[in-house]
Amino acid sequence: MPAPADPNAKGIKTLDKDLGRISLMEQALVFTARPLIAPGLALAFLVLVAIVVTAFIGAQQGALVVIAAAVIGGYMALNIGANDVANNMGPAVGANAVTLGGALVIAAICETAGALLAGGDVVSTVSRGIIAPESVAAPRVFVWAMMAALLAGALWINLATWFGAPVSTTHSIVGGVMGAGIAAAGFAAVNWPVMGAIAASWVISPVAGGLIAALFLAFINSRIIYRDDKIGAARTWVPVLIGVMGGVFVTYMALKGISRIVSFSLSESVMMGLAAGLPLALVMRPVIRRQARGLENRNKSLKALFAIPLVFSAALLSFAHGANDVANAVGPLAAIVHAVQHGGASEQVIIPIWVMVIGAVGLSFGLLLFGPKLINIVGSEITRLNAMRAYCVALSAAVVVIIASWLGLPVSSTHIAIGGIFGVGFYREWYHEKVLKENRELSTLPVEERTRRKVVRRVHLLTILTAWVVTVPAAATLSAILFLLLVAVGGAA
């Protein structure tokens, strides 16, 4: 006869099955909840903004409008951090000069410092003269126009980030202001010559960034990479290149990064750059010689010589970005606060410190929560970057901004950086094609193999170009719709 079943053993089996089901449920819950963590934290940040602003301004007239505008401004800052900062840190991460986590920490610190220490104290309320001030002079119309512009810009950047397209946050807010202005006062209210200059920057910025980045890469290739004694050539030229980078970034910071603290002319900034770059090159010569000792004569060894300058350049770009582009989030918000408190629009307004804090913290929060996606795309998915190529991209971004300031041209830092990445990628493709044509054996490769050797991913090129072209009209259309909705709900005439 079979032995009677042990009831305790049966109970243990049942318990094991239940625990297994619970374990699977827990794993499924973690898997499904993980994508909701970042949006949840972002929502918590916006709720905190509303609570803090409510406590700060009290029950004064128009408090609800200010609170709503503050939340929208925080939302805009989150999206700027998620999208724009990738242009500064993406190349350094793609070149493996710094880890993604390290890049997020460095960028968050530098963005916050730039926004709080050097962010604009005074900002034009009608963004860069896009709309004639008299066309939106009525206080309520002005408030709804600025709120619609801010929300439209934020929504468009959010959509672009979701699609993986780095876009200009400046162009987004400019499009928003234009759309609200047209909805409020018609097409005649728009300063079309200024809009034409902005449209021209869609072409000028990426082409200039790409050309200069390609020229720097061609120089590095001819003087270092394609030399028989790579390390010997690096001892000679890397200190010079670091000196050039140091001088250019001192000039860049004087023009753009600390312009809110102290203002320098272009000639003064260039002289400061020369005064910093020449000693830096001399100081770095013995440092590079020590670093180069024992390195193997191959391209991979050169990474160590470019890594530290590359990280510093990314940090400086982040500081300058925080100082300048925080105004895209807090400028319209400051204008709304001024209009509510003083009963009308103004050509220029002072940005309250609490408004600047919302922008600074929002930038960093957006970067930490949503930045990795764009950083990975910019750093590694458009084309493969190493330390030398990333160096060329960072340097071209600063050089083009300086040249544009000299010529008085409106350019987008986003377009310049992305153009630089495409520039080094297309230069490599051109060089590979040149080698194929010169080598008869390689020139007979089938079309499929030649296509496989393309180093720039065309799908990202088409996505990014499309996003750039439609940014201003898309933000403008969305802003006009939002403005009409706000007027209908708010009862403004």
Side-chain angles (χ1 to χ4, degrees), residues 227-250:
R227 295 281 178 168
D228 293 333
D229 184 6
K230 303 177 191 297
I231 302 302
R235 291 191 191 100
T236 301
W237 286 108
V238 171
V240 175
L241 292 170
I242 293 176
V244 170
M245 172 172 275
V248 167
F249 271 93
V250 168

Side-chain angles (χ1 to χ4, degrees), residues 263-285:
S263 180
F264 296 103
S265 66
L266 178 62
S267 59
E268 291 172 337
S269 300
V270 170
M271 292 302 297
M272 291 170 63
L274 290 172
L278 291 174
L280 180 60
L282 295 175
V283 169
M284 290 304 297
R285 187 170 296 276

Side-chain angles (χ1 to χ4, degrees), residues 105-168:
V105 172
I106 293 171
I109 293 172
C110 292
E111 289 281 338
T112 304
L116 293 178
L117 299 178
D121 295 324
V122 180
V123 66
S124 173
T125 58
V126 185
S127 182
R128 292 169 177 78
I130 301 301
I131 298 295
E134 62 273 10
S135 64
V136 288
R140 300 195 65 158
V141 172
F142 177 80
V143 167
W144 296 142
M146 288 296 104
M147 195 174 292
L150 193 57
L151 182 56
L155 289 171
W156 170 249
I157 298 168
N158 197 338
L159 181 63
T161 304
W162 187 73
F163 276 109
V167 296
S168 170

Side-chain angles (χ1 to χ4, degrees), residues 148-149 152 175-176 178-184 474-486:
M178 183 184 77
I182 291 174
T477 302
L478 185 57
S479 179
I481 295 171
L482 290 171
F483 173 79
L484 295 175
L485 290 173
L486 287 172

Side-chain angles (χ1 to χ4, degrees), residues 43-355:
L43 180 60
F45 166 73
L46 296 180
V47 171
L48 180 63
V49 167
I51 293 172
V52 171
V53 174
T54 300
F56 189 82
I57 65 173
Q60 60 181 275
Q61 185 177 5
L64 288 178
V65 173
V66 173
I67 294 168
V71 172
I72 296 172
Y75 175 54
M76 179 63 162
L78 287 172
N79 284 289
I80 293 175
N83 191 287
D84 233 17
V85 182
N87 308 316
N88 304 327
M89 282 296 170
V93 173
N96 294 319
V98 63
T99 64
L100 177 59
L104 291 173
V105 172
I106 293 171
I109 293 172
C110 292
E111 289 281 338
T112 304
L116 293 178
L117 299 178
D121 295 324
V122 180
V123 66
S124 173
T125 58
V126 185
S127 182
R128 292 169 177 78
I130 301 301
I131 298 295
E134 62 273 10
S135 64
V136 288
R140 300 195 65 158
V141 172
F142 177 80
V143 167
W144 296 142
M146 288 296 104
M147 195 174 292
L150 193 57
L151 182 56
L155 289 171
W156 170 249
I157 298 168
N158 197 338
L159 181 63
T161 304
W162 187 73
F163 276 109
V167 296
S168 170
T169 55
T170 302
H171 287 179
S172 300
I173 196 65
V174 164
V177 172
M178 183 184 77
I182 291 174
F187 286 90
V190 179
N191 188 335
W192 292 109
V194 172
M195 286 305 305
I198 291 172
S201 76
W202 295 343
V203 177
I204 295 171
S205 299
V207 170
L211 286 175
I212 291 178
L215 288 173
F216 278 121
L217 183 58
F219 179 86
I220 291 174
N221 283 349
S222 64
R223 297 295 178 180
I224 302 176
I225 295 176
Y226 297 144
R227 295 281 178 168
D228 293 333
D229 184 6
K230 303 177 191 297
I231 302 302
R235 291 191 191 100
T236 301
W237 286 108
V238 171
V240 175
L241 292 170
I242 293 176
V244 170
M245 172 172 275
V248 167
F249 271 93
V250 168
T251 304
Y252 178 85
M253 293 295 289
L255 278 175
K256 305 294 288 183
I258 57 174
S259 57
R260 300 298 185 259
I261 299 176
V262 56
S263 180
F264 296 103
S265 66
L266 178 62
S267 59
E268 291 172 337
S269 300
V270 170
M271 292 302 297
M272 291 170 63
L274 290 172
L278 291 174
L280 180 60
L282 295 175
V283 169
M284 290 304 297
R285 187 170 296 276
V287 175
I288 295 299
R289 287 186 177 276
R290 285 196 300 271
Q291 286 184 329
R293 287 175 189 163
L295 293 179
E296 296 182 37
N297 190 39
R298 56 178 185 161
N299 291 344
K300 190 175 182 180
S301 299
L302 300 174
K303 171 189 171 182
L305 305 180
F306 280 90
I308 294 177
L310 185 56
V311 173
F312 273 105
S313 69
L316 289 172
L317 282 173
S318 294
F319 181 92
H321 177 269
N324 288 277
D325 281 26
V326 69
N328 291 328
V330 302
L333 172 57
I336 292 170
V337 173
H338 182 276
V340 170
Q341 293 179 344
H342 298 87
S346 174
E347 284 292 324
Q348 289 186 330
V349 297
I350 303 297
I351 299 181
I353 186 62
W354 64 268
V355 171

Side-chain angles (χ1 to χ4, degrees), residues 85-86 89-90 93-94 100 103-104 367 371-380:
V85 182
M89 282 296 170
V93 173
L100 177 59
L104 291 173
L367 165 69
K373 179 179 180 179
L374 264 293
I375 287 177
N376 286 326
I377 290 176
V378 170
S380 59

